[in-house]
Amino acid sequence: MPSNPDQLEGEVTVDRGGTKATFEIKGALLRIAAGKKRTIVDTSSLRSYAVDDEKKQFGAAAIGGGGEAKVTKTDKKDKVAERDCEIWQIEETGKPMREACVVKGGSYADPAHAITAWEKELTVRGVFPLRVMEGDKQKRVVTKRDIHPTDASGFS
C-alpha cells in the first residue's frame, strides 16, 4: 500500500447536514464499517468495494459522476477541527458557488451517492475537504479528527 509523508490517516467524523458518518482514512482509501460489512472507497480509481466478511461476499462499482467543476485556490486559510486548511472556491455551471477548506494527503468520496463534479475535482487533486460551504450554508464539516496510523488489513 503506497504512502506519502503528507498522507491523511486515521478516523474523521463528517457532519452532512445533521447526519454524521465516521470514515477511516488511509491516504486515497476510505473505509466505512458497519458490523461485519464494510465499504471501501479507492478515491484514486473512483471505485467502491462492498465487503461482507461473514458471508464471504464482495462487490465492486464505479462511483464516477458527470459534469465539470472549476477550482480556484485562494490565499485564505482557516482552521477546522483543529487543523489548518486552505480555502478553495469551486464553480459548477448552474450551481451555487461552493467554498471548501481542504488539506492535502487524502480524498473524500461518499459511496452513498454518485460522486459530484466538485467532489471528483477535489479527489483528483488529492485533497480532503474539512468543510464545504454552499453560499452561506454549511453543507458538510469534519467535527472530529482522530489522526493515527491505521492497519492496512482493514482496507483489503
Side-chain angles (χ1 to χ4, degrees):
M1 178 172 299
S3 65
N4 67 57
D6 294 329
Q7 180 169 288
L8 184 60
E9 197 169 341
E11 291 181 8
V12 296
T13 301
V14 179
D15 183 336
R16 300 170 293 187
T19 302
K20 291 187 178 183
T22 299
F23 298 90
E24 191 170 11
I25 300 173
K26 192 165 188 75
L29 299 174
L30 299 172
R31 179 175 168 250
I32 307 157
K36 303 255 183 217
K37 297 178 183 179
R38 56 197 155 101
T39 300
I40 301 165
V41 179
D42 181 350
T43 61
S44 67
S45 65
L46 297 176
R47 305 242 347 134
S48 174
Y49 304 94
V51 181
D52 186 332
D53 292 313
E54 189 172 83
K55 294 182 180 177
K56 299 189 185 309
Q57 293 179 335
F58 167 86
I63 57 170
E68 292 185 24
K70 178 185 172 195
V71 172
T72 305
K73 296 178 184 181
T74 71
D75 292 331
K76 299 177 191 174
K77 297 192 185 293
D78 202 353
K79 190 172 247 181
V80 176
E82 299 178 15
R83 173 126 187 215
D84 292 331
C85 50
E86 298 177 41
I87 296 177
W88 292 7
Q89 293 179 335
I90 308 163
E91 295 177 69
E92 286 182 87
T93 305
K95 305 265 175 126
M97 174 71 84
R98 286 190 180 86
E99 181 181 277
C101 202
V102 301
V103 295
K104 293 180 183 176
S107 299
Y108 172 81
D110 188 342
H113 62 79
I115 192 169
T116 63
W118 69 267
E119 286 174 321
K120 184 176 180 180
E121 188 63 30
L122 295 182
T123 295
V124 298
R125 292 172 182 252
V127 295
F128 190 95
L130 295 180
R131 180 184 63 226
V132 177
M133 302 289 291
E134 189 175 286
D136 63 348
K137 294 182 179 164
Q138 184 169 276
K139 288 300 190 178
R140 65 186 66 172
V141 64
V142 170
T143 57
K144 182 180 176 188
R145 291 183 324 115
D146 182 8
I147 303 306
H148 61 274
T150 55
D151 183 7
S153 67
F155 294 92
S156 60

